[in-house]
Amino acid sequence: MIADKVLSQSEFWRSLPVESHRILREACPTWRFDPGETIFQKGDPGEALYLVLAGKVRIFRESLEGRRKVLAYVHPGEVFGEMSLVEERPRSASAVAETPTEVLVLFRDTYMNLLRRFPLLGHNLARIIAARLREMNDEILFLTFEEAKSKVAFALLKLYRHRHGEPRDGGWFIPIVHQEIANLAGTSRETATRVVHELRDRGIIASVSSGLVLRDLDALEQVLYGLQ
Ligand code: CMP
């Protein structure tokens, strides 16, 4: 069963007994979204957390001039919407299905009931939020102080860490265009293209139709830290 496989690999459900999978599935409805469909918008009231069972979700914010910054892509086993659930405040960002997507919807009341039964769930959620804060600290450092090459390397490695894409040709394929890399890296499109060409010429990545293949992750990490 797809939900069992996803739950057994999910950080949110880590170390919880297999029997609890059934309890969670019975307590939570499954919702499906088409590609491009809005799941929620920044500012909406937030009553539930979502656990991705299949597909991919884009989390983003929009600037006052309407420019979009992708904050994250959420993949099977990962959760989103947990901030409003625990803070009881409006959604801090918008969520859109990137591909056909299936999610388990965990409403606040159900969460509180499950928490009494499985207290570890609260610790798992705290770990997920701590990991995101750690990643954000790195992101702030790289996006604020480092040069364009490091920013692009950070963006590509972040996508890889979150398993955005798939293994291909002995590397890791990421479906992405230069403008999206620029948005993630906080550079202009021209700068992102210049860096992509440099990394490609050095064999660290390859350009393929509809995206990039990361060929040498160690070298990309060296670029991130300004060592190459
Ligand atoms: P919530 O505020 O309920 O709704 C928007 C969701 O986007 C938020 O919960 C988090 O789950 C997710 N989110 C917000 N900021 C980030 C971020 N920087 N990285 C990854 N996910 C985020």
Side-chain angles (χ1 to χ4, degrees):
M1 173 124 205
I2 178 172
D4 279 329
K5 185 159 178 271
V6 171
L7 285 175
S8 57
Q9 292 168 358
S10 169
E11 281 292 310
F12 182 54
W13 216 251
R14 180 163 144 165
S15 304
L16 287 165
V18 179
E19 311 84 75
S20 64
H21 292 183
R22 186 185 50 79
I23 297 168
L24 180 72
R25 274 191 274 111
E26 282 174 4
C28 300
T30 302
W31 288 357
R32 290 179 183 82
F33 296 91
D34 291 326
E37 200 175 340
T38 295
I39 300 173
F40 55 69
Q41 286 186 319
K42 181 179 181 297
D44 285 352
E47 298 296 326
L49 166 161
Y50 300 79
L51 193 156
V52 180
L53 292 178
K56 191 182 344 172
V57 174
R58 181 171 10 112
I59 305 286
F60 64 95
R61 288 277 297 262
E62 242 165 17
S63 71
L64 291 176
E65 317 89 71
R67 287 181 60 191
R68 287 187 170 189
K69 166 98 173 82
V70 176
L71 299 174
Y73 291 97
V74 192
H75 296 92
E78 295 181 318
V79 296
F80 64 99
E82 75 296 330
M83 287 167 61
S84 296
L85 181 90
V86 296
E87 281 188 303
E88 305 194 22
R89 290 178 59 188
R91 296 294 184 197
S92 63
S94 303
V96 164
E98 181 93 354
T99 60
T101 294
E102 208 175 287
V103 291
L104 272 185
V105 188
L106 180 48
F107 287 97
R108 189 176 291 116
D109 286 353
T110 315
Y111 174 69
M112 296 312 284
N113 285 334
L114 285 172
L115 204 50
R116 276 188 278 278
R117 196 152 175 194
F118 306 112
L120 196 54
L121 207 52
H123 183 68
N124 285 350
L125 198 56
R127 191 189 306 105
I128 290 169
I129 295 171
R132 187 177 304 145
L133 183 59
R134 187 181 290 270
E135 187 174 75
M136 290 306 302
N137 285 346
D138 285 346
E139 187 152 349
I140 288 169
L141 191 75
F142 285 111
L143 298 193
T144 311
F145 298 119
E146 300 302 332
E147 52 175 293
K149 258 193 306 191
S150 294
K151 294 178 183 182
V152 169
F154 181 83
L156 296 178
L157 285 166
K158 180 176 172 183
L159 291 168
Y160 169 72
R161 273 201 307 275
H162 286 272
R163 294 292 181 266
H164 183 66
E166 61 196 24
R168 189 184 292 180
D169 303 334
W172 184 265
F173 168 70
I174 298 178
I176 198 162
V177 298
H178 292 183
Q179 183 62 60
E180 290 173 299
I181 297 174
N183 293 348
L184 282 168
T187 67
S188 67
R189 214 260 310 132
E190 291 73 15
T191 301
T193 297
R194 178 178 54 75
V195 174
V196 165
H197 287 171
E198 184 188 330
L199 296 175
R200 183 199 59 196
D201 293 347
R202 289 164 61 187
I204 297 173
I205 63 173
S207 292
V208 293
S209 69
S210 72
L212 303 171
V213 177
L214 307 188
R215 290 210 170 286
D216 188 341
L217 292 167
D218 290 340
L220 197 55
E221 192 129 325
Q222 299 233 324
V223 171
L224 168 67
Y225 289 106
L227 300 173
Q228 275 215 31

